[in-house]
Amino acid sequence: MTTGVITKVAGPLVIAEGMRSANMFDVVRVSEHRLIGEIIEMHGDRASIQVYEETAGLGSGETVVSTGRPLSVELGPGLIGSIFDGIQRPLAEIMKISGSHLERGVEVPALNRAAKWHFTPAVQPGDAVQPGDVLGTVQETAVVLHKILVPNGTTGKVAAIAEGDFTVEETVCTIETETGAQEISMVQHWPVRVGRPYRTKLSPDIPLVTGQRVIDTLFPIAKGGVAAVPGPFGSGKTVVQHQLAKWAAADIIVYIGCGERGNEMTDVLNEFPELKDPRTGNSLMERTVLIANTSDMPVAAREASIYTGITIAEYFRDMGYTVALMADSTSRWAEALREMSGRLEEMPGEEGYPAYLGSRLAQFYERAGRVIVNGSGETEGALSVIGAVSPPGGDISEPVSQATLRIVKVFWGLDASLAYKRHFPAINWLTSYSLYADSLAGWFNENVHGDWYRLRGRLMSVLQEEAELEEIVKLVGMDALSAPDRLKLEAARSIREDYLHQNAFHDVDTYTSLEKQYRMMCAILAFLDRSAEALNAGADIEQIVALPVREQIGRLKYAKEDEVVAEYDRCMEELDRELAAAQATAAE
């Protein structure tokens, strides 16, 4: 155990000498308060330490003790439904000890040591096992079956395994390895900066269905994909992430509040237990892990919270689950990197951010993916990452947004002007994109309808043409447009207001199945195509624009899933009848 002495304190940065035998990224305990810190730079026997707690009152001459271990998380039963801070301290347990205020140096294990879990074996004595194999299971919540895996680096035969109620530290299995018997408990430790291993990475050709029309139809994300949600204050980043947490086709949700304002995080902590999981009707917390690292907590802990969250997410991915991780927001993490870099007196990059900003972001996002996990079977797991970015003033030309866009494959650009018009989700369809769209086309065409991708392309082109026509309208007015162009504008308005606008707080409209999305697309494009035919046959554009059936088409989004087909058929019959009447009127 290495012991050093503090020579300098600069905010969250502490310099200590006498640390020659310590290693990079070792966890240290600083001063008699035993504040937790991490070595981030070594020069001879001098270590630069970022401290994850308030350093007020520290002075030179106080001791620093290295634990000899890197910053790690505890993985095991008890994670689901818990609320941790950035370094995986359970906030509920800390509150019992220190009251409502988070005291410095408080040491509480991440997983409850007294709680007993019923362990059900999945292997028998004599079975050969390798890293990633399932030794047994624990029913952690009503919806999550927690699988206890053979730890990384352990290969051998099961010597003994027990069934019953155990704490996370008690031995449940003994494995005979080449180096001797190894006792396995239900808790594992894993260094947060090291990605958990897997066997094979799979191509991103299956979508993560979210039930949000603008995402699934126009800018889909793949299972195991990465997406960024940049947007200014008030544009709906948090609501988008809440909707994805609730409705995305994921088994486990890991939500990281990375440096968000305390009141926003309080909303999350209050709302998530109240949110009903549409799959089970129980609380959404029964398949959620929350990491609450607010803006008033020490800056350095923001970096730890990101790595803590993704390591927990990888752990559940290794069980064969589809995991969705929400990071809100990575900009706050980047600001923490900038502050630490400045205190280390490193050469700054653009706007004062460190030159390694891009590589740090890449290391985080690249831990996502759809993979064949370790183990003797062919188990598939997926980890999708959705990172919110909060550019100052909504200006995405700033370094964090640009570095993120170079890494992620999906960009859901939130637009303040759409948010002010109360158009939510405020994802701008002209600036957003998804690089997964082409590789997911085959899945949509095969599993929803063979025409899906063509209809999506038509929707996009109508919206693009609307943007061009709007420029003409601004210059010369609506009257200068031809009847076919007026019709395109009306169809685009229908796409915007009836299709892309989605009410997160409406019982039916909050989620739309892919089949319903397909019917809604068909209805809007049928109006455009059949009205164009009626125009060619002499119908009047003013009559077509005022057709009552347009209201019916718009209300398709409020039709319940089992009524969509019947409602769609009624709309089509009514459309044909009204267009025929409009043509007959014009012929007279």
Side-chain angles (χ1 to χ4, degrees), residues 2 24 49 92 94 100 121 158 178 225 253 344 364 373 423-424 432 463-464:
T2 306
M24 276 285 285
I49 299 158
I94 289 173
S100 59
V158 176
E178 289 180 356
I253 303 296
L344 287 166
F364 167 66
V373 300
H423 178 110
F424 291 105
S432 302
L463 291 168
Q464 198 74 47

Side-chain angles (χ1 to χ4, degrees), residues 441-442 444-455 518:
F444 280 112
N445 285 346
E446 193 175 315
N447 291 277
V448 188
H449 196 279
D451 223 13
W452 174 280
Y453 201 64
R454 186 185 68 81
L455 294 183
Y518 172 72

Side-chain angles (χ1 to χ4, degrees), residues 24-27 37-41 50 52 70-73 87 190-196 300-311 314 333 337 340 356 360 363-364 367:
M24 276 285 285
F25 301 123
D26 272 4
V27 170
E38 183 183 24
I39 296 175
I40 55 172
E41 200 173 83
Q50 64 177 356
Y52 293 129
L71 185 66
S72 302
V73 288
I87 47 179
W190 191 268
V192 296
R193 293 178 184 273
V194 179
R196 284 176 65 85
R302 295 178 188 176
E303 182 175 20
S305 67
I306 288 283
Y307 291 118
T308 297
I310 200 156
T311 307
E314 285 177 331
W333 168 36
L337 287 178
M340 291 307 298
Y356 49 77
R360 286 286 178 87
Q363 283 168 13
F364 167 66
R367 286 170 74 170

Side-chain angles (χ1 to χ4, degrees), residues 52 54 85-86 102 256-266 291-302 305 328-329 331-333 335-336 339:
Y52 293 129
E54 180 56 57
D85 74 351
L102 190 62
I256 309 168
C258 175
E260 281 304 288
R261 287 176 295 283
N263 58 345
E264 279 199 19
M265 209 57 228
T266 305
I291 295 170
N293 194 73
T294 57
S295 54
D296 63 343
M297 288 179 174
V299 162
R302 295 178 188 176
S305 67
D328 188 11
S329 102
S331 295
R332 311 271 179 259
W333 168 36
E335 286 161 10
E339 179 169 337

Side-chain angles (χ1 to χ4, degrees), residues 147-398:
K147 299 170 186 173
I148 308 301
L149 308 175
V150 177
N152 197 44
T154 301
T155 303
K157 285 190 174 178
V158 176
I161 193 162
E163 179 170 3
D165 295 337
F166 300 93
T167 65
V168 291
E169 288 186 305
E170 290 177 329
T171 301
V172 293
C173 178
T174 305
I175 297 176
E176 200 62 53
T177 69
E178 289 180 356
T179 54
Q182 186 173 336
E183 294 184 340
I184 308 293
S185 67
M186 289 191 278
V187 64
Q188 294 184 19
H189 294 84
W190 191 268
V192 296
R193 293 178 184 273
V194 179
R196 284 176 65 85
Y198 51 82
R199 203 189 315 163
T200 315
K201 201 160 198 170
L202 303 172
S203 60
D205 51 16
I206 297 175
L208 181 71
V209 178
T210 66
Q212 310 307 300
R213 294 187 290 270
V214 65
I215 292 174
D216 289 344
T217 303
L218 300 187
F219 313 113
I221 178 173
K223 265 189 186 176
V226 286
V229 195
F233 172 76
S235 57
K237 293 188 294 294
T238 305
V239 175
V240 166
Q241 291 199 317
H242 283 203
Q243 282 294 92
L244 296 178
K246 186 174 180 181
W247 293 106
D251 303 308
I252 308 286
I253 303 296
V254 179
Y255 191 99
I256 309 168
C258 175
E260 281 304 288
R261 287 176 295 283
N263 58 345
E264 279 199 19
M265 209 57 228
T266 305
D267 285 346
V268 172
L269 299 181
N270 287 334
E271 285 171 18
F272 264 60
E274 298 297 320
L275 286 178
K276 271 198 173 174
D277 185 349
R279 295 178 174 198
T280 62
N282 299 340
S283 166
L284 189 62
M285 284 301 290
E286 291 200 0
R287 57 183 181 95
T288 302
V289 181
L290 281 180
I291 295 170
N293 194 73
T294 57
S295 54
D296 63 343
M297 288 179 174
V299 162
R302 295 178 188 176
E303 182 175 20
S305 67
I306 288 283
Y307 291 118
T308 297
I310 200 156
T311 307
I312 291 171
E314 285 177 331
Y315 175 63
F316 285 106
R317 175 208 69 191
D318 290 350
M319 295 180 200
Y321 289 123
T322 297
V323 186
L325 180 139
M326 317 289 162
D328 188 11
S329 102
T330 54
S331 295
R332 311 271 179 259
W333 168 36
E335 286 161 10
L337 287 178
R338 176 167 63 183
E339 179 169 337
M340 291 307 298
S341 175
R343 292 187 185 281
L344 287 166
E345 299 174 5
E346 294 172 338
M347 183 67 76
E350 194 181 351
E351 289 188 26
Y353 287 101
Y356 49 77
L357 172 67
S359 63
R360 286 286 178 87
L361 284 168
Q363 283 168 13
F364 167 66
Y365 281 110
E366 283 168 2
R367 286 170 74 170
R370 186 167 68 93
V371 301
I372 300 293
V373 300
N374 279 350
S376 48
E378 289 290 315
T379 306
E380 190 179 299
L383 167 54
S384 310
V385 176
I386 295 105
V389 184
S390 310
D395 175 20
I396 63 163
S397 64
E398 56 88 44

Side-chain angles (χ1 to χ4, degrees), residues 527 531 542-551 575 578-579 582:
F527 165 75
S531 298
E542 297 297 340
Q543 266 190 295
I544 289 174
V545 167
L547 290 179
V549 73
R550 294 193 64 202
E551 178 69 21
L575 177 64
E578 289 180 12
L579 283 174

